[in-house]
Every structure is written in structure tokens, then in C-alpha cells.
Amino acid sequence: SAVSNSVLEHIPTLEPVLTELARVLKPGATFIFCVPNHRFLLTLSVSRAFDRFNLNRMGNLYRRFFNRISRHHHCDDQHTWQQRLAAHGFEIVACWDYFSPRAQAVLEWGHYLGLPSLLTHILFRKWILVPAKWNLALTEAITRSVYDEPSVQEKGVYTFYISNKI
């Protein structure tokens, strides 16, 4: 399903950032960055569940919410970034996707499963009360398989870019 344009409302413009980069970097200088890509919003597990039940409005509200808490503003594909960079005098030298949809689901649900830690942080100023291996065993069991994934993912939800100022 396509992501509603309302999910991407009120996106801050990159224009001032790219203009300043183009101004201060010398020709041949390298600009390296990574961003969530066009698959990020489409692969959120909660919004996909809403979509499966034809609750697309709820799915889009969740996408907007998760994008906000993740502080993401530009979930674009490689072509869009290529055009955006070219307009400011940059060329993409290399790029690759990383962070599988499965890893994203672990991250997504980690936000919610980690809420009890927020309470301990508020009460005791510690995110983890007992930083012992036994106390973190479940967290490690849940995250280890995605941690051990190959770093380059054919359909990853983030893209790493290396670009040069022309």
C-alpha cells in the first residue's frame, strides 16, 4: 500500500542544508550520510497490521507518529536523493541499503517493550537498574539475530550514501 501524503506533511526542507554544504565544501570533497529510505514507512509492522484490516487511516496516523518519534523527515528513494544532490552540485559515488525490515520490527517493538525502563529512569535516574548479563539475556536473545545480520541488505530500510562535490 502507498503511504498517504498526509504522513509526510510538514517536512522541513533540506534546501538550506544542501545549499550550505555546497557553499562550504570544495570540489572533490566527500559528503557522507545515511537516511531512512522509501521502504521505512511501508515496513512498519503496526501500520501494516492496520492496513491489512483496511484501517489505512490508522496505518497512516501510526506512520506519522513513528516518523515523528524517530525524528525522520525524508524517507526517500535513491533517485530522489540523486536529483536532490545533483541540484546542489553533488554526485553519488556509492550507496547501499542496510537494516532489514526484520531489524526495523525489532527496533519498532523495542520502543514499546522498553517503556518499563522509562519508569526506572524517572524514579532512579537509571535506564537499567541491574546491568548484569542475566538481566539483559532476554534483550540479547531478541536482538542478537538482527545484530548479526549482514550489514548490506538488498531491501534494507535505510540507505548509506557517499557523495562528492562536483
Side-chain angles (χ1 to χ4, degrees):
S1 72
V3 175
S4 162
N5 285 337
S6 67
V7 172
L8 303 175
E9 289 174 357
H10 310 294
I11 297 176
T13 180
L14 284 171
E15 198 67 30
V17 174
L18 295 174
T19 299
E20 185 67 4
L21 280 168
R23 185 185 74 76
V24 300
L25 294 179
K26 295 179 181 178
T30 302
F31 170 45
I32 299 172
F33 64 101
C34 58
V35 289
N37 64 35
H38 60 292
R39 290 183 210 94
F40 179 84
L41 294 172
L42 294 174
T43 57
L44 290 169
S45 64
V46 173
S47 57
R48 283 192 348 238
F50 282 130
D51 292 344
R52 273 193 293 273
F53 291 106
N54 290 322
L55 299 170
N56 299 60
R57 184 167 181 255
M58 292 297 294
N60 285 331
L61 284 171
Y62 180 78
R63 287 180 183 97
R64 186 181 308 138
F65 161 75
F66 202 85
N67 224 17
R68 192 180 82 240
I69 66 168
S70 299
R71 298 181 182 172
H72 294 158
H73 300 290
H74 299 276
C75 300
D76 299 319
D77 62 12
Q78 180 183 343
H79 179 73
T80 301
W81 278 104
Q82 186 276 324
Q83 289 180 317
R84 188 177 282 141
L85 291 167
H88 289 86
F90 290 89
E91 65 180 349
I92 296 173
V93 177
C95 66
W96 57 89
D97 293 339
Y98 68 100
F99 210 73
S100 72
R102 186 167 166 263
Q104 179 181 352
V106 170
L107 174 70
E108 179 183 0
W109 283 96
H111 282 81
Y112 308 114
L113 297 174
L115 283 175
S117 293
L118 179 59
L119 183 60
T120 62
H121 182 69
I122 291 168
L123 294 175
F124 305 108
R125 297 288 180 221
K126 291 184 175 186
W127 287 102
I128 301 171
L129 286 180
V130 183
K133 186 171 178 126
W134 65 266
N135 191 37
L136 299 171
L138 179 60
T139 301
E140 181 170 356
I142 292 169
T143 60
R144 176 57 62 186
S145 64
V146 293
Y147 176 80
D148 288 337
E149 286 181 343
S151 58
V152 176
Q153 294 284 323
E154 183 179 328
K155 294 190 181 207
V157 299
Y158 287 83
T159 305
F160 192 94
Y161 291 93
I162 300 175
S163 64
N164 283 343
K165 170 97 184 287
I166 301 171

